[in-house]
Amino acid sequence: MASVTGRALTGRPPLRFSTQTLLLQLAVVALVVLLTSAVHAWLTYDRLGREAENQALTLARTVASDPDVRAQVQQISALPGTPPAAELLAGPLMAAAEGARTRTGALFVVITDETGLRLAHPDAERLGERVSTDPSEALAGREVTTRNTGTLGPSAGAKVPVFAPDSGTVVGEVSVGYSTETIGQSLARDVVPIVLTAAGALLVGLLASFLLRRRLQRLTLGLEPEEISTLVHDQVAVLQGVDDGVIGVAADGRISVFNAAAQRLLDQPDLTGTPWAGAPVPEALHALTRADAAEGDAVELVAGGRVLVASARKALHGREDLGWVVMLRDRTELQQLTRQLDAVGTMSTALRAQRHEFANQLHTIAGFMSIGQHQQARDYLARLAATGPLKFPVDQAELLQDPYLQAFLGAKGVEADERGVILRLGPETLVRGQVTEPQEVTTVLGNLIDNAVNAAVAGSAPERWVEVEVLDAPGTGTDGGTLHIVVGDSGDGLPASGPDGTGPDGVGPEAAEAVFTEGFTTSERPARAGAGHGLGLALARQLARRRGGDVRVLDPGSPGGPGAVFMATLPGTTAPTEKKPSERDNDA
């Protein structure tokens, strides 16, 4: 608002911040140079003045200690009056004073009697007159240095008492002065290097200010402080307000941005300021920012128990390379939702089929009633009551007390049946508790069942089946129970680790671990877009290990069947089922 108002009042845009900074720096440099030069000139002037005072004091002492001068001053001071000016002009004191002045270049050499009357003076008309400056200090026997203005102009000088030759009585004084104009001329000669030094310092200051301005513009990319402040607020609002992870990698290879979403998705602390090459992130992210990487390509990876889609783009400002921007999007919930929708679709298909079966049964009963075969109708209803009107797709589902597991395995049973695979529960299955983490359980269990069904379909065994055993173990204290899942199939087992595999049937431990690598798949079915093939087992293992459990291969299987057997352990995913009031009463 201030900048708009200033523009409206002055009729021209306000100065840029870099220009204001430059002008301020120039003013400060000029002020410092001027003050320094003035102080240096004053110190030089004061030094020259002190030198003139010392020189005048030395000359005054020399004149005052001359025996002839002392005798002549004593003699004149003893007279009742002062001799005439003409006599003083031709006397020895005048000759001695003028000789000393001429030899040393002093402005004046003045000799007075004990009353301050001039006995020698450069101006003959001033002889016999009282001196213009106070001689009392010198006449009292003390030497003094002075800077004052007399009849001959401003001067720096000294006053020295003249003592009688035969006693310590003050009979007069000698005043010597050097013109301050001579000091000014000396200063004028000395000020030349001062001016040159000041000009050089000012020039260096100007150059440094221009260089600093250019660097400031380069560092701020030519932006004004208000624009930088706005950008910072916008950056914080955008980076912290989006659900997508954002990682900024500067041109020097260091992480410049690592927002909260990236920390959450990668399960890492804030890595801002650390080298990108050594950052503890999946290798797939490092590969996206290599020089030979294709810009804009998206890859799927598993990190922090999540399925992520990552992409990277080069950041440019004009022609300046600012580094890379890596974007992370969470597809875990989308995959879970897709899996749930598939299960719902499968169950709806099964329910439609069962609805037709139930309608046929009603038509049969109606036919018996219409032809009067009441007994046969009753027998038919008895058989239906004994077997149930609807057939659940998974045998022995009553071993699972949790309705979520029943529905999920039922949907998987219908889907497997459509592909010619029988899904059955193993004899060791027993779940007495209730699932408390259905999303993680169905993610792990669903991936294992899907892989087993694919393996059974691709296997060479004439009978295709998948067997699932689920067993829950109660937890201790406040910890939830542990769910143990074992899934086997009729497929041909895991592929061999090499032509000379070291494990049973040519399958080595390398192959058993390779199935948990991101991107590993043995499916020959065409992959759907975004289906996430090759990520299921890796995601299932990360989810289990994050809870303190694991997913591993119990048996790699063998060609011709039976196939591989996987086991998953999921701690803290079940809780005891609360009994109904009637059941609690019976227990009591």
Side-chain angles (χ1 to χ4, degrees):
M1 182 68 184
S3 60
V4 175
T5 305
R7 182 179 300 184
L9 293 177
T10 59
R12 60 178 181 273
L15 294 176
R16 296 179 61 84
F17 176 74
S18 57
T19 304
Q20 296 177 9
T21 304
L22 174 63
L23 295 178
L24 178 60
Q25 290 170 344
L26 294 180
V28 170
V29 170
L31 180 61
V32 170
V33 169
L34 290 177
L35 288 177
T36 304
S37 301
V39 170
H40 186 57
W42 167 252
L43 293 177
T44 301
Y45 177 81
D46 186 64
R47 177 180 57 81
L48 293 175
R50 288 197 304 272
E51 291 178 356
E53 291 174 356
N54 293 333
Q55 188 176 0
L57 181 59
T58 301
L59 180 57
R61 287 173 177 173
T62 302
V63 174
S65 61
D66 188 343
D68 294 336
V69 172
R70 296 171 65 184
Q72 288 295 325
V73 173
Q74 182 185 22
Q75 182 180 354
I76 294 175
S77 297
L79 296 176
T82 303
E87 183 179 344
L88 294 174
L89 182 60
L93 292 179
M94 188 66 179
E98 284 301 297
R101 185 183 68 83
T102 305
R103 290 192 307 268
T104 59
L107 178 62
F108 60 84
V109 176
V110 176
I111 302 174
T112 69
D113 60 10
E114 78 284 0
T115 62
L117 298 179
R118 298 185 181 99
L119 304 179
H121 193 276
D123 188 357
E125 297 180 355
R126 303 292 183 180
L127 293 174
E129 296 179 357
R130 184 174 178 82
V131 292
S132 58
T133 58
D134 184 16
S136 58
E137 290 284 337
L139 294 178
R142 293 187 294 271
E143 297 178 349
V144 294
T145 56
T146 61
R147 292 190 192 182
N148 46 42
T149 302
T151 56
L152 298 178
S155 64
K159 296 180 182 294
V160 176
V162 178
F163 297 96
D166 54 354
S167 66
T169 304
V170 176
V171 294
E173 59 96 11
V174 177
S175 297
V176 177
Y178 286 88
S179 175
T180 54
E181 295 178 357
T182 305
I183 298 176
Q185 294 173 358
S186 300
L187 178 61
R189 291 192 303 267
D190 294 342
V191 83
V192 174
I194 297 177
V195 173
L196 294 178
T197 303
L202 185 59
L203 181 61
V204 171
L206 292 175
L207 180 60
S209 298
F210 276 109
L211 293 178
L212 183 59
R213 179 195 184 192
R214 289 176 59 87
R215 176 171 175 77
L216 183 62
Q217 288 180 330
R218 185 165 60 252
L219 291 177
T220 60
L221 303 178
L223 298 177
E224 294 297 300
E226 296 82 2
E227 297 172 328
I228 296 176
S229 176
T230 302
L231 284 177
V232 171
H233 285 89
D234 293 344
Q235 175 182 333
V236 172
V238 172
L239 293 181
Q240 305 304 327
V242 297
D243 292 332
D244 294 344
V246 180
I247 303 175
V249 182
D252 61 356
R254 291 189 172 273
I255 299 178
S256 57
V257 176
F258 202 84
N259 71 338
Q263 299 174 35
R264 174 176 54 84
L265 295 177
L266 296 178
D267 195 18
Q268 293 290 339
D270 190 2
L271 300 177
T272 303
T274 60
W276 171 245
V281 298
E283 181 59 28
L285 295 183
H286 291 296
L288 288 175
T289 58
R290 295 195 180 113
D292 56 348
E295 184 177 349
D297 287 351
V299 296
E300 283 188 342
L301 56 106
V302 177
R306 300 176 182 273
V307 178
L308 306 179
V309 177
S311 61
R313 291 189 178 276
K314 199 72 174 175
L316 299 173
H317 180 77
R319 296 184 178 180
E320 185 177 0
D321 183 6
L322 302 181
W324 290 87
V325 176
V326 181
M327 300 294 297
L328 301 173
R329 298 177 179 86
D330 189 3
R331 297 197 57 175
T332 306
E333 296 180 358
L334 178 61
Q335 283 202 346
Q336 292 175 348
L337 180 60
T338 302
R339 188 178 299 278
Q340 292 176 2
L341 289 177
D342 289 343
V344 171
T346 302
M347 288 298 296
S348 64
T349 302
L351 289 176
R352 282 198 302 270
Q354 291 174 348
R355 180 176 59 83
H356 287 297
E357 181 181 356
F358 187 68
N360 293 333
Q361 293 171 352
L362 288 178
H363 290 157
T364 301
I365 294 173
F368 281 134
M369 298 297 294
S370 62
I371 63 177
Q373 299 294 331
H374 302 289
Q375 183 61 38
Q376 291 185 1
R378 283 194 293 270
D379 294 341
Y380 185 70
L381 286 173
R383 288 196 300 271
L384 290 180
T387 60
L390 300 178
K391 182 180 179 182
F392 200 75
V394 180
D395 293 336
Q396 297 182 343
E398 64 275 3
L399 298 176
L400 304 174
Q401 295 187 13
D402 182 75
Y404 197 90
L405 284 178
Q406 288 185 5
F408 183 74
L409 287 174
K412 286 298 179 183
V414 174
E415 184 179 2
D417 184 67
E418 291 180 352
R419 300 183 63 185
V421 179
I422 299 174
L423 178 63
R424 65 194 184 199
L425 291 177
E428 301 297 330
T429 296
L430 181 60
V431 177
R432 294 160 295 183
Q434 181 179 0
V435 173
T436 58
E437 300 291 340
Q439 288 188 349
E440 295 190 7
V441 170
T442 54
T443 298
V444 175
L445 181 59
N447 278 307
L448 295 179
I449 293 178
D450 290 343
N451 290 341
V453 171
N454 291 336
V457 172
S460 58
E463 183 181 359
R464 299 173 178 176
W465 52 266
V466 171
E467 184 172 284
V468 180
E469 288 187 350
V470 186
L471 178 66
D472 67 332
T476 59
T478 58
D479 297 335
T482 301
L483 198 65
H484 301 276
I485 302 172
V486 179
V487 179
D489 59 73
S490 62
D492 293 334
L494 299 178
S497 60
D500 55 349
T502 58
D505 298 327
V507 180
E510 295 86 356
E513 287 299 318
V515 298
F516 297 102
T517 306
E518 295 179 24
F520 180 90
T521 180
T522 58
S523 176
E524 297 181 357
R525 299 175 62 193
R528 293 179 301 167
H533 286 290
L535 300 176
L537 287 176
L539 176 60
R541 170 173 273 191
Q542 283 201 14
L543 287 175
R545 288 183 172 178
R546 190 171 64 180
R547 303 192 64 87
D550 199 3
V551 177
R552 56 192 179 92
V553 178
L554 286 183
D555 188 350
S558 59
V565 179
F566 288 82
M567 178 178 179
T569 305
L570 300 175
T573 54
T574 63
T577 303
E578 294 185 2
K579 294 183 178 182
K580 298 179 181 179
S582 60
E583 295 176 347
R584 289 197 295 267
D585 295 339
N586 293 333
D587 292 342

